[in-house]
Amino acid sequence: MDKRTAPVRHLDSVDGTVYGKHNKVKMVNPYLCYFIVTYGDGSVYSGNDLFTTGWDGVRQGIKTLQYKLSTGHIINIPKFKGYLPTIEVSESIEGFKMFHAINVNCLGFEEVVTYRIILKEDRISKYKIGDIIISKSKKNIKSSQWRMSS
Amino acid sequence: MAVTITKKFHNGTEYKDIAKVVFTSPNFTSPAVAGTRSHMPPGGAYMGTWFEAVDWMYRAFPDQEYAQFPDEMESLFGKVVVTSLFDFASDTTISGYHLYGSNYPIAADTVHSTDGFVELNQTKRNWGGISAAYNGSLHAYTAAGLYTQIVGTQSLVSWDSRNIYWSGVTSSLNGDLFFCSKMLTGAFDPIIYKKPFDGLPIDIDTAGILEDWRGIASSSTNDIYIATAYGSIYKLPGGLAPLELLLPGPIGGLVSGITCSLNGSIYVTVSTSANGGVIYKLVDGTFISLNQAPRVWTGIAASKVNNNVYAVEEFGDIYVQIYGEGDFIPTGQADTRWNGIACGFDGAVYTCNDDDVYKMAIDPAEAASLNILCIDKDNYGVIGSSSVVGEPYILEGVGEVTEVSIVFSSTVGTKVVNEWLNSTVVADFDTLVSGVAIGDANPVTCDISAVVSGTADDTEGTTLLGSVIGSVTGIMNGTGTVIGTVSGTVSGELSSSTNDGTGNREYSIVSGTISGTLEGAEHGAISGTVSGTLSGAMIGPYEFASLQYTTSDSITAASTIPLPRRHHGGNSVIFAVSFGEAYDCRLTAWDDATHSTTNNKILAEEHYRVDAVAFRSNSAEPHAPVFNDTGLLVHPEAFDIPLKGNEKYFGDFDLIFAIDSGEYGEYVVFTPRLVNMDDSFIAGSYDFVTTLHYQYT
């Protein structure tokens, strides 16, 4: 029996289970996933959710960057020269959004290291919510949303 | 920065938020029914494609067909027929016809005169149907207007230019004319239109009955019968309201025509059905399928003097049933797209196709007279029987033009320098043609049958209408210049900034080779080879892409399949970035909301295809994003590519919200369709979802 009061029952750590014809997918609650940035002066800036991340409000001079998922996972991103996190989502014509991952692009000395934080799990993929896949590339990602470390 | 992406389609009047794309069999004409029948394979023939909004199901226009270009698409938006091998990835030369608009090119590329019929030399239009009135005058329609005959001539001139998508015309014994129109998304509501013999035209009060009218016929007692797309028959007793439902239908297939014979029989033709086209005859209140070979019947007419019944076939022959009995037998006409047939009260038989209107010749003398009393191909004026052809005139004050022959339509002998109205000029511009002040404020219609080797520079703000038959090696430009037809080689530049004021394009035809630059606000049909630059907006309602050639497949010689299609708001889904930036965008499709599998038969077998393009519009008009500048292309156009999860998709590209001078958007637009679904495809529900996969900060 769900002992929570009715108005908050839908706000689960896992947003919901999506039943398909051939697969069943669990996805995080995108309203409860956000980043936490600390600066050199000790101040802390917390993001909103996966819809309106609040990343454009982050100042330059990041000391630490971590992500907190609705499932309780806390992912600490190592120190890099700069960060550009992107939310990977697929949106159907019907309007449903499936959040796949947070791709935290980290600026290294000669390459971009991407920390891919998985946001869903299903019967097909070997990855679970909160898993991290690290990859490197030489790609040039141009964006005004890069934020540099202190 | 978050990103906001809207998903919309245009219903012909306004943008609507799209909720779902639904494919049905073509016989689903009711939005209420279509909404419950998602992704029904048709078992052949056309697909019904619907865009669902919160308020209504909108039928996408035109319908999809898996094997051939839809007729409606051809008649309203044109088509491309490629005549030589073309690979967009490597070739820069396109050879073929690019035909669109309700007016096909004026220059006839083929002659359709046939045994027993003579061409009446009308302006080349997509003639959709024809009727011969009691007084002998002809009335005809295209998708975009009604035409009536000039008394004493064979010329058909426009008298109603509304885009009502007319689908039928008939003449009753008392001289009244009746028209009906079809139901299309974004068009006017279908109507039954009456032009009384001695009164003002009126819309028949149908008391709220809104049907997809596809054929209309009058009986010998002046009753009017109207057929709907799928076989319901209504009756206007004596040609007067109220409208009565005679037979509820349906009969199998898409109705293309109806006629009443002298002996009271009612015939209905069906262009497409499960077993091909059929001719039905009403016998004792029931439609009986006549034992004919399946053909794409496009029209039927019963004689007014005997019981003969004539029927026409698309890309086929004209058939006759002698005295209303026995089989329909071919009359041995040319294999062309016959769109309509009518019988006059004098026994004459008229027919029409994409090119012209024809009349069955009674004797050679009449054929000859018909040829004389024709309008000229450019529709710029009637050449009267008293025309003086070929008489040389030396023009004064027009630069170095010499050896000009003028044919005046009605003012023979009235030569006013700088003011040639409705005339045909055949001139040799053998040297520089500069500063030719032809016309001042009056438009000049002329044909130039010569080589223009200099510069025809009209800086007087005048208008040059007509044809250039020959080579243009110099420059023709001017603020008011309208070049109607260029048939020849253009190695120079044709440019202008205005159209002719009638909504027509500046370059209605270019047939030949263009190795220079064609630019201007609007362009028309191009028939020929383009190896230079083509810029400017292309004409088309809600159209946003100019050239839809594939980058992936070569187009085979003389092939009409695959056929590049024109994209416009009426048949496409438009994703627009209205805020922020989206990275690594890709358009694809999945089985369901899990966005993880593609086991669906439609996806797995790659029946789901799209034409798609990502671009930045150069029009700020929100309902008509326009793309025609390759500099604003975000991701190249793709033609008929399958969408299948992460295996096959349209992408990847970035979309950025932009508002700049001449740059708006950005947009991803796609036209969905199902292909290669034949009778072997088992009917059922095959829901799938189309998704845009992207990233944002």
Side-chain angles (χ1 to χ4, degrees):
Chain A
M1 178 181 177
D2 193 338
K3 296 181 179 179
R4 290 173 297 176
T5 55
V8 296
R9 281 179 185 169
H10 66 289
L11 297 177
D12 206 341
S13 60
V14 173
D15 180 51
T17 302
V18 181
Y19 292 92
K21 295 171 184 171
H22 311 284
N23 198 5
K24 185 176 78 171
V25 175
K26 287 183 178 179
M27 185 179 72
V28 298
N29 184 341
Y31 292 99
L32 299 178
C33 298
Y34 53 92
F35 63 83
I36 301 171
V37 167
T38 62
Y39 299 101
D41 60 5
S43 60
V44 177
Y45 180 79
S46 179
N48 301 320
D49 51 41
L50 294 184
F51 294 98
T52 307
T53 61
W55 182 258
D56 51 346
V58 174
R59 292 183 281 117
Q60 308 289 353
I62 295 173
K63 183 178 181 182
T64 65
L65 170 64
Q66 67 177 199
Y67 273 88
K68 187 171 183 180
L69 304 186
S70 61
T71 49
H73 292 83
I74 295 177
I75 296 98
N76 291 299
I77 308 298
K79 185 80 171 180
F80 282 91
K81 290 170 62 180
Y83 303 97
L84 174 65
T86 60
I87 313 301
E88 184 179 328
V89 66
S90 56
E91 182 176 356
S92 65
I93 285 180
E94 290 79 357
F96 176 75
K97 282 186 177 179
M98 173 64 73
F99 289 89
H100 297 272
I102 302 170
N103 295 307
V104 185
N105 298 292
C106 306
L107 190 60
F109 287 100
E110 295 181 347
E111 60 199 0
V112 172
V113 179
T114 301
Y115 281 70
R116 181 177 172 84
I117 305 170
I118 302 299
L119 300 179
K120 62 161 190 167
E121 59 190 39
D122 57 29
R123 296 170 174 171
I124 299 173
S125 174
K126 61 185 178 183
Y127 301 112
K128 304 297 181 186
I129 292 175
D131 285 357
I132 301 170
I133 305 167
I134 302 174
S135 61
K136 295 180 180 179
S137 75
K138 298 279 189 182
K139 65 181 179 182
N140 184 10
I141 305 176
K142 291 182 178 178
S143 174
S144 61
Q145 298 297 303
W146 279 103
R147 296 293 184 267
M148 307 309 288
S149 299
S150 57
Chain B
M1 183 186 297
V3 64
T4 303
I5 297 177
T6 62
K7 303 176 288 295
K8 295 180 183 294
F9 69 98
H10 198 266
N11 70 353
T13 304
E14 60 181 336
Y15 259 134
K16 308 292 292 188
D17 290 324
I18 188 168
K20 193 174 185 61
V21 177
V22 176
F23 296 101
T24 68
S25 296
N27 55 324
F28 287 95
T29 57
S30 164
V33 176
T36 66
R37 306 300 293 269
S38 177
H39 303 136
M40 291 290 295
Y46 295 90
M47 294 296 292
T49 306
W50 302 77
F51 294 154
E52 181 178 353
V54 69
D55 61 339
W56 196 244
M57 293 286 293
Y58 294 88
R59 189 158 186 169
F61 169 70
D63 290 345
Q64 307 291 313
E65 191 189 22
Y66 68 89
Q68 200 174 30
F69 217 59
D71 294 344
E72 292 161 327
M73 191 79 160
E74 280 188 356
S75 63
L76 294 171
F77 297 103
K79 64 176 181 178
V80 171
V81 179
V82 178
T83 56
S84 66
L85 189 65
F86 173 75
D87 185 340
F88 198 88
S90 57
D91 293 346
T92 56
T93 300
I94 304 166
S95 297
Y97 316 112
H98 191 180
L99 315 177
Y100 59 91
S102 57
N103 296 317
Y104 273 5
I106 296 166
D109 49 4
T110 56
V111 177
H112 295 302
S113 293
T114 57
D115 292 342
F117 282 84
V118 293
E119 201 169 2
L120 299 187
N121 293 324
Q122 302 304 314
T123 298
K124 194 171 183 180
R125 305 180 196 282
N126 295 128
W127 296 107
I130 190 168
S131 179
Y134 185 67
N135 64 2
S137 65
L138 291 176
H139 298 82
Y141 65 86
T142 69
L146 301 177
Y147 294 79
T148 190
Q149 189 177 25
I150 297 176
V151 176
T153 75
Q154 298 294 340
S155 300
L156 290 168
V157 296
S158 172
W159 66 275
D160 189 319
S161 59
R162 292 176 294 173
N163 285 299
I164 297 191
Y165 304 104
W166 301 105
S167 56
V169 55
T170 190
S171 310
S172 63
L173 265 173
N174 58 12
D176 294 343
L177 285 167
F178 293 85
F179 301 86
C180 63
S181 66
K182 64 176 71 172
M183 179 184 290
L184 287 174
T185 301
F188 289 93
D189 284 341
I191 61 171
I192 301 170
Y193 190 52
K194 180 180 181 180
K195 184 186 180 188
F197 176 69
D198 54 358
L200 296 174
I202 56 169
D203 289 353
I204 294 290
D205 181 6
T206 61
I209 298 173
L210 207 59
E211 290 275 13
D212 189 358
W213 310 115
R214 293 300 177 106
I216 192 166
S218 63
S219 72
S220 56
T221 56
N222 290 330
D223 293 330
I224 303 298
Y225 295 89
I226 313 104
T228 68
Y230 292 97
S232 296
I233 308 296
Y234 287 81
K235 180 181 178 182
L236 281 174
L240 300 172
L243 194 62
E244 299 176 356
L245 177 59
L246 185 65
L247 289 169
I251 58 178
L254 186 62
V255 168
S256 56
I258 183 172
T259 192
C260 301
S261 68
L262 270 183
N263 59 14
S265 297
I266 297 176
Y267 293 78
V268 171
T269 50
V270 168
S271 60
T272 56
S273 69
N275 299 314
V278 185
I279 298 178
Y280 288 94
K281 184 177 182 180
L282 185 64
V283 178
D284 297 332
T286 304
F287 276 110
I288 304 298
S289 171
L290 301 183
N291 186 28
Q292 301 296 310
R295 304 180 197 284
V296 183
W297 300 107
T298 55
I300 192 165
S303 171
K304 300 291 198 300
V305 296
N306 54 40
N307 285 318
N308 285 355
V309 181
Y310 299 85
V312 286
E313 177 191 8
E314 184 186 40
F315 294 121
D317 208 338
I318 298 173
Y319 295 79
V320 60
Q321 186 191 41
I322 304 297
Y323 299 130
E325 295 178 353
D327 291 339
F328 280 79
I329 56 176
T331 61
Q333 306 304 319
D335 185 4
T336 181
R337 182 196 291 274
W338 300 109
N339 293 328
I341 192 160
C343 294
F345 288 87
D346 59 353
V349 178
Y350 298 89
T351 184
C352 57
N353 61 14
D354 284 348
D355 297 331
D356 209 337
V357 176
Y358 301 81
K359 180 182 180 182
M360 182 177 283
I362 297 174
D363 57 54
E366 182 177 357
S369 66
L370 291 173
N371 286 332
I372 292 172
L373 292 172
C374 67
I375 64 171
D376 71 306
K377 284 281 187 180
D378 294 330
N379 196 25
Y380 293 134
V382 176
I383 301 173
S385 58
S386 60
S387 296
V388 178
V389 180
E391 184 176 342
Y393 285 82
I394 304 299
L395 302 182
E396 299 171 357
V398 290
E400 299 180 40
V401 178
T402 58
E403 296 294 323
V404 177
S405 297
I406 304 175
V407 179
F408 288 96
S409 60
S410 60
T411 54
V412 176
T414 304
K415 180 184 65 175
V416 181
V417 174
N418 299 339
E419 197 170 306
W420 305 334
L421 295 175
N422 298 320
S423 61
T424 300
V425 178
V426 181
D428 286 331
F429 297 95
D430 55 357
T431 57
L432 180 67
V433 182
S434 178
V436 184
I438 43 178
D440 284 341
N442 295 312
V444 172
T445 301
C446 67
D447 293 329
I448 302 171
S449 177
V451 174
V452 179
S453 58
T455 300
D457 191 355
D458 174 18
T459 57
E460 302 293 325
T462 60
T463 303
L464 173 64
L465 298 168
S467 304
V468 177
I469 305 170
S471 298
V472 178
T473 56
I475 298 173
M476 297 188 74
N477 62 22
T479 55
T481 302
V482 175
I483 301 168
T485 303
V486 177
S487 174
T489 300
V490 180
S491 57
E493 176 183 322
L494 294 174
S495 66
S496 185
S497 58
T498 61
N499 62 28
D500 63 1
T502 64
N504 293 327
R505 61 286 302 171
E506 291 167 336
Y507 311 111
S508 60
I509 310 172
V510 175
S511 64
T513 301
I514 304 166
S515 57
T517 300
L518 253 180
E519 62 182 27
E522 294 171 335
H523 295 303
I526 294 172
S527 172
T529 301
V530 180
S531 59
T533 302
L534 188 67
S535 62
M538 305 293 283
I539 287 181
Y542 317 116
E543 192 174 290
F544 50 76
S546 57
L547 297 171
Q548 287 78 46
Y549 300 106
T550 176
T551 58
S552 58
D553 299 320
S554 293
I555 301 172
T556 56
S559 172
T560 57
I561 301 173
L563 285 165
R565 286 178 287 275
R566 304 192 69 77
H567 301 238
H568 53 90
N571 68 359
S572 301
V573 180
I574 302 177
F575 285 8
V577 175
S578 57
F579 177 75
E581 302 174 355
Y583 312 109
D584 296 336
C585 302
R586 66 172 58 170
L587 186 72
T588 190
W590 300 97
D591 283 346
D592 45 46
T594 64
H595 297 187
S596 60
T597 57
T598 55
N599 297 326
N600 187 315
K601 183 178 175 66
I602 286 180
L603 299 182
E605 296 179 2
E606 301 182 5
H607 295 291
Y608 182 45
R609 308 284 182 88
V610 296
D611 294 349
V613 64
F615 64 97
R616 186 175 292 189
S617 173
N618 55 4
S619 167
E621 179 60 39
H623 73 271
V626 174
F627 164 69
N628 58 23
D629 185 344
T630 53
L632 299 180
L633 189 63
V634 173
H635 195 74
E637 298 146 298
F639 174 72
D640 243 9
I641 60 165
L643 298 186
K644 189 179 179 183
N646 285 328
E647 184 180 342
K648 295 187 176 179
Y649 52 85
F650 176 68
D652 297 324
F653 49 86
D654 297 339
L655 293 176
I656 300 170
F657 177 58
I659 299 179
D660 202 351
S661 177
E663 298 184 16
Y664 307 91
E666 294 165 339
Y667 301 94
V668 181
V669 295
F670 66 96
T671 307
R673 65 193 298 247
L674 298 184
V675 301
N676 300 329
M677 298 175 70
D678 55 21
D679 289 332
S680 65
F681 207 106
I682 301 170
S685 180
Y686 296 92
D687 266 342
F688 58 87
V689 296
T690 307
T691 66
L692 183 68
H693 195 113
Y694 59 94
Q695 299 183 38
Y696 60 94
T697 59

